[in-house]
Amino acid sequence: MATTYETLLPEIMPMVPGCPDTLIENNIRAAAIELCEKAPVYQQELDPVTTVANIYEYDLEPPSGAVTHKILWVTHQGHDLEPISTGLLEQRLPKWRDASNAGTPKYFVKVTQAAFWLAPVPNATESQAVILRAQLKPTYTSFVWPNRILIKSSPKLLFI
């Protein structure tokens, strides 16, 4: 379930008379995004990922209207993977992308809001081998906020 930003307008409009609805909604959205960036209030375990032999980049698939802000943890076949930067990865595992260096993943790198890498490159295709938990945030085009995070307490809004 989710609450639209529009449904929050009656809580705010009395405090900003004459302000356009769209401006209020944009500011609610911006506040929600900032809250989610600064505090881990919107977390979710994403769908399991199937590893494919000799492929190191995988998509992050958060719910509609959200993007991945941080990856909190990743497991591969029940073993925790270590978060690592690209620079440190290159130092620890030179030429880690080469198929000849493929193996069981030990590290992960979040490269964008939509993708992450496993290193070393998986040497086997394994169904639902990777499980991860992510800190999410709403997109700049979202219209809703998940109810499990927002608690309305008239006349104030409390975020937990």
Side-chain angles (χ1 to χ4, degrees), residues 103-155:
T104 302
K106 296 178 185 173
Y107 307 103
F108 73 91
V109 179
K110 179 183 173 273
V111 289
T112 67
Q113 291 179 339
F116 70 102
W117 294 347
L118 294 177
V121 178
N123 60 355
T125 298
E126 299 171 302
S127 179
Q128 300 184 353
V130 175
I131 298 172
L132 61 97
R133 184 166 190 83
Q135 179 178 335
L136 306 173
K137 65 181 182 179
T139 64
Y140 286 100
T141 58
S142 65
F143 294 98
V144 297
W145 177 257
N147 279 350
R148 62 192 170 118
I149 299 168
L150 175 67
I151 297 178
K152 284 177 50 176
S153 175
S154 191

Side-chain angles (χ1 to χ4, degrees), residues 73-86:
W73 54 258
V74 177
T75 64
H76 175 265
Q77 297 292 37
H79 299 286
D80 292 341
L81 301 186
E82 182 181 339
I84 196 167
S85 67
T86 55

Side-chain angles (χ1 to χ4, degrees), residues 94-105:
K95 300 182 182 178
W96 64 272
R97 291 179 183 95
D98 293 348
S100 61
N101 293 326
T104 302

Side-chain angles (χ1 to χ4, degrees), residues 36-95:
C36 291
E37 289 173 346
K38 292 183 176 182
V41 295
Y42 185 13
Q43 296 182 20
Q44 186 168 325
E45 198 170 287
L46 303 184
D47 290 338
V49 176
T50 297
T51 59
V52 178
N54 301 319
I55 301 293
Y56 63 88
E57 185 168 299
Y58 295 89
D59 292 335
L60 291 165
E61 297 181 8
S64 178
V67 293
T68 303
H69 181 62
K70 288 182 184 175
I71 297 176
L72 301 173
W73 54 258
V74 177
T75 64
H76 175 265
Q77 297 292 37
H79 299 286
D80 292 341
L81 301 186
E82 182 181 339
I84 196 167
S85 67
T86 55
L88 188 55
L89 178 59
E90 296 296 338
Q91 289 176 1
R92 286 193 188 171
L93 296 173
K95 300 182 182 178

